[in-house]
Amino acid sequence: MRLPFPSPARDAATDSGGAPLEGLPEWNLDDLYEGQDAAALKRDLDWLEEACRTFAADYEGKLAELDAAGLLECTLRYEKIDMIAGRIMSFAGLRYYQKTTDGERAKFMSDMQDKITTYTTPLVFFSLEFNRIEDAHYEAMMAENDELARYKPVFDRMRAMKPYQLSDELEKFLHDTSVVGASAWNKLFDEQIAGLTFEVDGEHLGIEATLNLLTDSDRARREAGARALAEKFEETAPLFARIHNTLAKEKEIGDRWRGLPSPQASRHLANHVEPEVVEALRNAVVAAYPRLSHRYYNLKAKWLGLDTLEVWDRNAPLPMEENRIVGWEEARRTVSEAYAAFDPRMEELARPFFTDGWIDAGVKEGKAPGAFAHPTVTDVHPYVMLNYLGKPRDVMTLAHELGHGVHQRLAAGQGEMLSSTPLTLAETASVFGEMLTFRKMLAEAKDDATRKVMLAGKVEDMINTVVRQIAFYDFECKLHEARRGGELTVDDINALWMSVQGESLGPVFNFMEGYETFWAYIPHFVHSPFYVYAYAFGDGLVNALYAVYAEGSEGFEEKYFDMLRAGGSKHHKELLAPFGLDASDPAFWDKGLSMIESFIDELEAMEK
């Protein structure tokens, strides 16, 4: 079953927090359930319990005997169970993310998770037995029934895990204990992060508001924010180190029992991407550090009149940047017009997010940090979460998450089991939506100074998306490898974090005492190990894709919509082939990185 929870938020370092704006939209979750006591929710829970029981009774020990028609009926029943379970957990998860400090919401989500885990335990046999079907019989059934063959991409991904699956009894045990394993530690992390308060100049702020200070135009305020973060992270690092140690060890045990060749292997299998493709991406980005981040931050130091940048200068606004608030209606209009200019269908797909309660935009006490778009289930619609405070980057985040939402709506036509896009391609529409919005805003820049600020902002976002995320990926690789050798102290983890910071950001940076603990708040490391390379993958892919679009490729829009509609039904090679692109070609990644370089070239030219 696919995971029915909100997807991880974007790097919170690039998101904003601070003084809330008024009148921002909130979610209306009634399309899922009208409340935790809704009759429809009780009905679905009762149905799910019985559906799982009868499914197991009808099929356990019998999958190998089914013909193509029988396997199709079995698959459709499984898909319906997946949808109902996903609807319940989407509702519980979204309510919880609105206010993670609310004990009643946290209890409700835990109770739902416990019930879903208990009800679905009898289904664990399905993938295990399915993978024991003889290859010849499997291929014959796929050839015999076109409707069944539609699910072949899901089945093939499932069968890719065949060499790594455990006994039926062990798999059921792991399924049963999952609620007190990784998911429990994830919940602890979320609650601790949301509950942190930071004292800055006598004021007590939440994590979003404190992170927002790192983008303040006042350097003293930036420093105060950075030091407040460092002080609190140092204080809480032992707890976060315990979370990381436990999760990394749990993963190592699971990987070892399954015989997976590396800590990253399960992520690559889930993403349906070859390890060598990810390695080519990683190597291309690391090799480009001097041409990208090192070069850009040298420029930024010059603009700020500094010989050395401190960590609180990384996301500082430029001196010539206007410190204005972009109102919600302006942000909506900007993104909607950018989408419509590409294709009116994109704006139509995005419109209900604004009008029908599909966005929760405001910064609120206890609300999860960052932003995400959660697809829920294919017979409802996605929901977008933001922490919107009117920064220009917040407009980009809106464009990004709406891109996810459009993608998820289009992919819903594939049905519950085929709609979920592998993470490597899940960022395609979001980053493309950002690029459309950025190009519109750049074309409308009133003068060269405005254009310079916009270009610099885009470069910083791309560095955060590509350079920073690959540095995160390297940190995770080092962390999991080191944990295999034993328990890691806070100092051990700090050293691993710092080992990638100087390399990725460049020699112009000075790293204050305390920055070594900033690994503590990054949610991806806890929620989805090795997720982060998907951001770099998506950015590089979209840069190459946008270059094809800019060249005026005939029929690009229709090919693009076909790619989004495919959801998880095709491999990245199939999806990119109509555009003449191939992610397994190392030159592909250089093509994507060259767009960032071209923006830096333009910024350097403005200095002459």
Side-chain angles (χ1 to χ4, degrees):
M1 279 193 171
R2 84 183 207 207
L3 186 70
F5 292 102
S7 56
R10 301 180 73 195
D11 170 19
T14 67
D15 294 328
S16 64
L21 298 176
E22 299 294 329
L24 295 177
E26 295 186 352
W27 282 331
N28 178 356
L29 300 179
D30 289 355
D31 289 341
L32 292 167
Y33 297 104
E34 293 183 355
Q36 69 178 60
D37 298 320
L41 175 58
K42 184 180 186 307
R43 179 201 65 208
D44 282 354
L45 283 166
D46 292 343
W47 180 91
L48 185 66
E49 183 177 22
E50 178 64 12
C52 292
R53 186 192 66 77
T54 56
F55 184 92
D58 291 345
Y59 293 114
E60 188 166 12
K62 304 168 189 174
L63 285 189
E65 304 166 11
L66 296 176
D67 59 13
L71 183 58
L72 174 61
E73 181 184 358
C74 171
T75 301
L76 293 174
R77 285 176 62 179
Y78 186 90
E79 187 170 41
K80 178 69 180 296
I81 289 170
D82 194 11
M83 183 177 290
I84 297 300
R87 178 189 284 259
I88 294 166
M89 286 313 303
S90 290
F91 176 69
L94 291 172
R95 283 185 79 246
Y96 170 70
Y97 272 70
Q98 280 184 300
K99 195 169 186 180
T100 61
T101 53
D102 184 329
E104 178 275 325
R105 294 183 186 220
K107 173 178 163 42
F108 177 70
M109 189 174 82
S110 291
D111 288 348
M112 292 302 100
Q113 191 169 17
D114 287 348
K115 286 180 184 290
I116 298 297
T117 301
T118 300
Y119 295 167
T120 58
T121 294
L123 273 60
V124 172
F125 81 89
F126 179 73
S127 62
L128 305 175
E129 265 192 51
F130 191 92
N131 283 349
R132 289 198 290 268
I133 295 174
E134 293 294 331
D135 289 346
H137 182 44
Y138 168 70
E139 294 296 343
M141 286 193 291
M142 294 301 110
E144 178 184 334
N145 188 308
D146 288 344
E147 195 174 348
L148 178 65
R150 197 174 74 80
Y151 292 91
K152 192 172 186 297
V154 176
F155 295 149
D156 285 349
R157 286 197 286 274
M158 195 158 65
R159 287 172 79 83
M161 289 300 295
K162 184 176 180 177
Y164 311 112
Q165 71 185 36
L166 304 173
S167 68
D168 292 14
E169 188 176 32
L170 269 176
E171 293 286 1
K172 288 180 180 178
F173 172 78
L174 291 173
H175 182 83
D176 266 354
T177 58
S178 64
V179 293
V180 292
S183 63
W185 289 97
N186 284 187
K187 188 162 169 279
L188 174 64
F189 173 85
D190 289 339
E191 290 170 351
Q192 292 300 311
I193 286 292
L196 290 179
T197 57
F198 304 82
E199 186 173 348
V200 183
D201 298 333
E203 186 179 5
H204 290 85
L205 304 174
I207 190 165
E208 282 283 351
T210 311
L211 287 168
N212 181 61
L213 292 176
L214 302 182
T215 66
D216 199 285
S217 57
D218 183 341
R219 195 172 189 232
R221 289 284 285 170
R222 295 200 302 272
E223 179 178 357
R227 295 201 182 279
L229 290 165
E231 181 180 353
K232 182 62 69 172
F233 293 153
E234 184 176 6
E235 175 188 323
T236 55
L239 172 61
F240 292 119
R242 169 60 49 223
I243 292 171
H244 279 275
N245 268 290
T246 303
L247 288 172
K249 184 61 179 178
E250 182 187 57
K251 189 175 194 316
E252 185 273 326
I253 293 169
D255 288 350
R256 174 161 39 86
W257 275 72
R258 293 183 183 283
L260 286 159
S262 71
Q264 303 87 348
S266 58
R267 175 64 63 200
H268 299 335
L269 286 165
N271 284 345
H272 203 38
V273 65
E274 301 77 13
E276 57 270 21
V277 173
V278 178
E279 190 65 12
L281 163 64
R282 182 263 171 200
N283 291 342
V285 174
V286 171
Y289 284 169
R291 307 195 308 272
L292 302 178
S293 49
H294 297 191
R295 188 169 152 223
Y296 173 75
Y297 288 126
N298 278 327
L299 267 178
K300 183 161 190 174
K302 179 180 176 182
W303 295 331
L304 293 174
L306 300 169
D307 294 325
T308 303
L309 292 179
E310 300 289 343
V311 293
W312 55 80
D313 297 318
R314 185 171 66 83
N315 286 322
L318 300 183
M320 67 288 284
E321 189 170 334
E322 292 182 17
N323 189 21
R324 77 178 188 96
I325 298 297
V326 181
W328 179 251
E329 287 305 315
E330 181 183 348
R332 171 183 174 172
R333 184 174 62 254
T334 298
V335 176
S336 297
E337 288 177 357
Y339 276 25
F342 171 72
D343 192 299
R345 291 173 293 178
M346 271 188 72
E347 189 277 331
E348 289 169 13
L349 287 161
R351 195 181 306 156
F353 287 89
F354 295 104
T355 59
D356 295 357
W358 297 6
I359 297 178
D360 196 297
V363 175
K364 290 169 278 190
E365 183 181 352
K367 183 177 176 181
F372 62 71
H374 176 46
T376 72
V377 287
T378 54
D379 66 345
V380 186
H381 56 75
Y383 283 92
V384 162
M385 192 195 85
L386 305 172
N387 279 276
Y388 186 87
L389 285 143
K391 301 272 187 178
R393 283 177 178 168
D394 291 344
V395 181
M396 292 295 108
T397 300
L398 172 61
H400 180 103
E401 300 305 340
L402 278 180
H404 278 307
V406 167
H407 194 173
Q408 291 158 358
R409 291 196 71 194
L410 287 168
Q414 293 290 340
E416 198 66 19
M417 290 175 69
L418 282 161
S419 63
S420 185
T421 308
L423 292 180
T424 43
L425 294 167
E427 295 300 322
T428 304
S430 55
V431 179
F432 196 83
E434 274 191 84
M435 184 61 76
L436 291 173
T437 304
F438 169 71
R439 293 288 187 177
K440 170 183 166 56
M441 294 172 71
L442 189 67
E444 295 173 354
K446 60 184 180 181
D447 51 39
D448 284 347
T450 305
R451 182 179 178 85
K452 179 178 180 178
V453 168
M454 291 185 64
L455 278 171
K458 185 61 177 173
V459 168
E460 289 198 15
D461 285 345
M462 295 170 102
I463 286 172
N464 281 330
T465 303
V466 178
V467 170
R468 188 160 167 80
Q469 302 302 330
I470 289 300
F472 283 178
Y473 177 67
D474 277 355
F475 166 72
E476 283 191 278
C477 292
K478 291 181 176 186
L479 176 76
H480 283 262
E481 183 60 35
R483 182 64 181 90
R484 292 184 171 210
E487 180 88 4
L488 301 176
T489 67
V490 170
D491 287 343
D492 291 334
I493 301 176
N494 290 350
L496 295 175
W497 174 254
M498 294 308 298
S499 74
V500 302
Q501 295 303 308
E503 178 189 23
S504 61
L505 296 179
V508 75
F509 272 93
N510 181 57
F511 296 100
M512 70 170 186
E513 185 176 349
Y515 183 68
E516 63 273 9
T517 59
F518 273 48
W519 52 268
Y521 80 96
I522 309 295
H524 304 77
F525 304 153
V526 174
H527 288 294
S528 296
F530 306 108
Y531 178 98
V532 289
Y533 74 72
Y535 287 122
F537 195 109
D539 201 83
L541 187 154
V542 168
N543 288 344
L545 199 62
Y546 195 89
V548 175
Y549 170 59
E551 291 163 4
S553 175
E554 187 176 351
F556 181 92
E557 290 82 357
E558 202 54 52
K559 292 176 189 175
Y560 180 75
F561 274 89
D562 285 345
M563 179 173 66
L564 301 190
R565 289 189 195 101
S569 67
K570 293 182 179 180
H571 188 268
H572 63 79
K573 276 186 175 291
E574 294 177 84
L575 290 171
L576 291 175
F579 303 97
L581 299 171
D582 181 1
S584 63
D585 180 358
F588 171 84
W589 300 113
D590 289 330
K591 182 174 186 177
L593 294 171
S594 68
M595 179 177 287
I596 309 176
E597 287 188 74
S598 70
F599 288 160
I600 299 173
D601 288 342
E602 188 170 347
L603 286 168
E604 285 184 337
M606 290 180 176
E607 297 300 299
K608 296 175 182 177

